Amino acid sequence: KIFSFQDWPFDDGAPPPNQIVDDWLNLLKTKFREEPGCCVAVHCVAGLGRAPVLVALALIECGMKYEDAVQFIRQKRRGAFNSKQLLYLEKYRPKMRLRVRDTNGHCCVQ
């Protein structure tokens, strides 16, 4: 199997619902456990809000501070996040669901 596709729609400009966050993080945890070093792509229509929020959540769950995750993503994707999404990320409390390290000691999201 070359790739699989997931469709998790949520309102443009809004933070993701809890179920989508859980599904997203579970997918990442499973993929990185089953296929260490694999690549996961995420995209939304414009690539400025929904996709960056999901990527930021993954980085935060891996141990990155939200400010650092936002800065890292904005270096790659100028204009990412709106104020509502930034507030959501600031208030998000990680459960460290992706804090699994590979055999080299690296976080599963790089």
Side-chain angles (χ1 to χ4, degrees), residues 9-69:
F10 60 98
D11 291 340
D12 189 20
N18 290 337
Q19 186 60 56
I20 289 177
V21 173
D22 290 342
D23 290 346
W24 165 241
L25 297 173
N26 287 332
L27 172 103
L28 293 177
K29 191 167 190 169
T30 300
K31 286 299 287 180
F32 292 128
R33 187 181 319 120
E34 292 174 357
E35 300 177 52
C38 73
C39 181
V40 175
V42 58
H43 202 284
C44 59
V45 174
L48 293 173
R50 291 169 285 197
V53 166
L54 292 177
V55 173
L57 289 173
L59 294 172
I60 292 167
E61 283 290 340
C62 227
M64 191 178 277
K65 292 179 185 175
Y66 100 91
E67 300 97 330
D68 295 335

Side-chain angles (χ1 to χ4, degrees), residues 80-98:
F81 310 108
N82 65 27
S83 59
K84 188 187 294 186
Q85 292 161 334
L86 288 171
L87 184 60
Y88 169 79
L89 291 171
E90 180 181 0
K91 293 182 182 231
Y92 181 79
R93 294 295 166 246
K95 297 174 183 78
M96 297 306 190
R97 291 178 269 192
L98 299 179

